[in-house]
């Protein structure tokens, strides 16, 4: 065995360098002109590649993942996961948008959007929870303090404050009426719409108020079983 001292070159199994960082660089593809790129491989050779999509420097306590997610956000405590999620907001605070185009048009803050295109039409309403594929509310501030849960629940025409819609397609026929609660598949969607009525509680699949623009009613039951519906409240009837 022959002792060897000095720098071991690449052809002899070394790096030809005298420091750890320089040794690493000797084995990597050339870094010249490749700032900001990531290392990849074609299963034979390694190379540098460019990240696709748009990346914005994260703001304080925020997480953004996805092509053009968050746009040019400067607000804090936001989470945007998915292509174009929350990409119109600039100074929003404490907003969560998860899913393709979730909250894509919103410009304010304090909302939760979860699902494919959840909250697609929402722009300036605040204090919202919108969960479900294509679940949404109206564009303006009117629908603030609302909760919409269920695929296709709510609608771009829903602008009433304090709207609660839970169930597939629920609350689609609420327009500017305030503080209405619709629970059940297609509740407040099929049949008579609440419209501008206020303070209704409608529970049951396909259930609805007794007349358009009614207020103060409590509806329990399914419209597919009309003999099992109970109407309580101002303007309501009792069906045995």
């Amino acid at each position: 065995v022959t002792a060897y001292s000095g720098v071991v070159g690449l052809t002899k199994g070394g790096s030809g360098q005298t420091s750890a960082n320089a040794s690493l660089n000797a084995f990597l593809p050339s870094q010249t002109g490749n700032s900001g790129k990531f290392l990849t491989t074609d299963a034979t050779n390694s190379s540098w590649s460019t990240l696709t999509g748009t990346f914005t420097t994260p703001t304080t306590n925020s997480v953004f993942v996805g092509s053009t997610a968050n746009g040019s956000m400067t607000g804090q405590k936001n989470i945007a996961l998915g292509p174009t999620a929350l990409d119109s907001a600039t100074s929003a605070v404490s907003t969560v948008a998860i899913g393709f185009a979730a909250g894509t048009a919103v410009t304010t803050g304090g909302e939760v959007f979860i699902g494919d295109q959840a909250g697609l039409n929402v722009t300036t309403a605040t204090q919202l929870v919108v969960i479900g594929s294509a679940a949404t509310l109206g564009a303006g501030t009117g629908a603030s303090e609302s909760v919409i849960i269920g695929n296709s629940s709510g609608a771009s025409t829903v602008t009433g404050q304090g709207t609660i819609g839970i169930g597939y397609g629920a609350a689609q026929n609420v327009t500017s009426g305030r503080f209405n609660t619709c629970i059940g598949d297609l509740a407040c969607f099929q049949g008579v719409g609440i419209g501008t009525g206020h303070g209704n509680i409608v529970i049951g699949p396909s259930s609805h108020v007794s007349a358009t623009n009614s207020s103060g009613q409590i509806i329990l039951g399914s419209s597919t079983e009309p003999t099992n519906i109970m109407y309580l409240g101002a303007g309501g009837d009792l069906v045995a």
Side-chain angles (χ1 to χ4, degrees):
V1 177
T2 302
Y4 181 83
S5 62
V7 177
V8 180
L10 288 172
T11 58
K12 296 183 179 297
S15 66
Q17 305 298 322
T18 58
S19 69
N21 192 62
S23 296
L24 175 62
N25 291 336
F27 292 114
L28 294 174
S30 172
Q31 297 194 49
T32 303
N34 292 307
S35 176
K37 297 183 179 181
F38 67 94
L39 187 65
T40 187
T41 179
D42 60 4
T44 301
N45 297 299
S46 59
S47 62
W48 299 107
S49 183
T50 302
L51 287 168
T52 58
T54 302
F55 176 78
T56 302
T57 302
T59 56
T60 304
N61 300 317
S62 294
V63 176
F64 306 126
V65 179
S67 176
T68 72
N70 93 282
S72 55
M73 178 73 70
T74 59
Q76 301 182 26
K77 304 174 185 177
N78 299 290
I79 297 175
L81 305 178
T84 71
L86 205 61
D87 68 338
S88 296
T90 55
S91 57
V93 176
S94 301
T95 301
V96 176
I98 300 175
F100 171 74
T104 187
V106 72
T107 58
T108 53
E111 303 90 2
V112 175
F113 304 104
I114 300 176
D116 178 19
Q117 301 183 76
L120 183 66
N121 304 99
V122 177
T123 55
T124 55
T126 59
Q127 306 303 317
L128 304 178
V129 175
V130 180
I131 300 175
S133 176
T136 191
L137 286 163
T141 59
S144 295
E145 303 169 16
S146 295
V147 176
I148 299 295
I149 300 175
N151 289 357
S152 300
S153 54
S156 61
T157 55
V158 178
T159 59
Q161 178 186 7
T163 299
I164 297 177
I166 301 176
Y168 170 75
Q172 287 199 29
N173 274 347
V174 177
T175 54
S176 60
R178 297 178 294 114
F179 307 113
N180 292 293
T181 299
C182 307
I183 300 176
D185 284 5
L186 303 177
C188 306
F189 173 50
Q190 293 187 330
V192 179
I194 286 180
T196 61
H198 304 305
N200 296 290
I201 299 174
V202 180
I203 301 175
S206 301
S207 53
H208 54 77
V209 291
S210 61
T212 303
N213 302 327
S214 294
S215 294
Q217 292 190 358
I218 299 175
I219 313 299
L220 305 176
S222 168
S223 67
T224 61
E225 298 291 341
T227 58
N228 293 325
I229 300 177
M230 179 181 292
Y231 295 90
L232 304 174
D237 299 314
L238 176 63
V239 179

